Amino acid sequence: ESLAKYAELVLLEQRFGRAAMQGLVDYEQQRYARAQAGSLAAASSLIDADESYDQYSRATLVFAKLRAELGDAVIIAALRQLWQQHRYPATPASSMDFVRALRAQSPASAQPLIEQLLLGTDVRPLLDEE
């Protein structure tokens, strides 16, 4: 689901412009903040998330941040690597496989951000920014 939210961001920006894409990010940030405030569940990492607001709203925020900080070229290179390593008849890719591919395609300076956004449980930076 998270990768579908990435595609949504890219396609929305390509078709309707940056302002429309930012409108989606702003909406998802508000939606996520409301859901997070009302949740009794303990925070989990995005790759372990099973709450719909994590899988959709939080994923949108995470991929918007990754796009802004790393750029689409890095994310697409990671997706290509993932596809090459896990295409049929190989085993299907997991969320951690994507994290590893993204790390491999990213500079060392981006590793803490990837860790925080995809593996961390602190969601405050997603709610404080944008």
Side-chain angles (χ1 to χ4, degrees):
E1 293 300 326
S2 297
L3 290 177
K5 297 306 284 182
Y6 169 70
E8 179 183 34
L9 287 169
V10 172
L11 293 172
L12 189 61
E13 183 176 20
Q14 288 176 352
R15 177 79 168 113
F16 297 106
R18 183 154 179 75
M21 187 267 311
Q22 188 59 49
L24 174 63
V25 171
D26 294 344
Y27 167 77
E28 292 290 14
Q29 185 180 31
Q30 292 170 6
R31 183 175 170 215
Y32 185 69
R34 283 192 305 272
Q36 185 71 20
S39 176
L40 298 176
S44 64
S45 67
L46 182 60
I47 67 163
D48 293 326
D50 56 9
E51 298 288 343
S52 64
Y53 60 87
D54 277 325
Q55 295 170 342
Y56 296 99
S57 297
R58 182 176 172 190
T60 299
L61 300 175
V62 164
F63 275 101
K65 183 77 168 174
L66 289 172
R67 288 185 77 208
E69 298 294 325
L70 303 178
D72 286 321
V74 170
I75 298 169
I76 291 169
L79 291 172
R80 279 194 180 115
Q81 177 183 332
L82 198 65
W83 178 75
Q84 289 170 350
Q85 292 173 344
H86 294 278
R87 67 180 172 215
Y88 184 81
T91 58
S94 69
S95 299
M96 265 318 290
D97 291 324
F98 173 72
V99 172
R100 283 189 282 274
L102 188 60
R103 284 178 167 165
Q105 297 298 325
S106 300
S109 61
Q111 303 303 314
L113 178 68
I114 294 167
E115 173 88 15
Q116 174 192 25
L117 294 176
L118 298 173
L119 303 176
T121 59
D122 184 4
V123 297
R124 289 175 298 174
L126 294 173
L127 299 174
D128 295 339
E129 297 176 7
E130 307 294 327

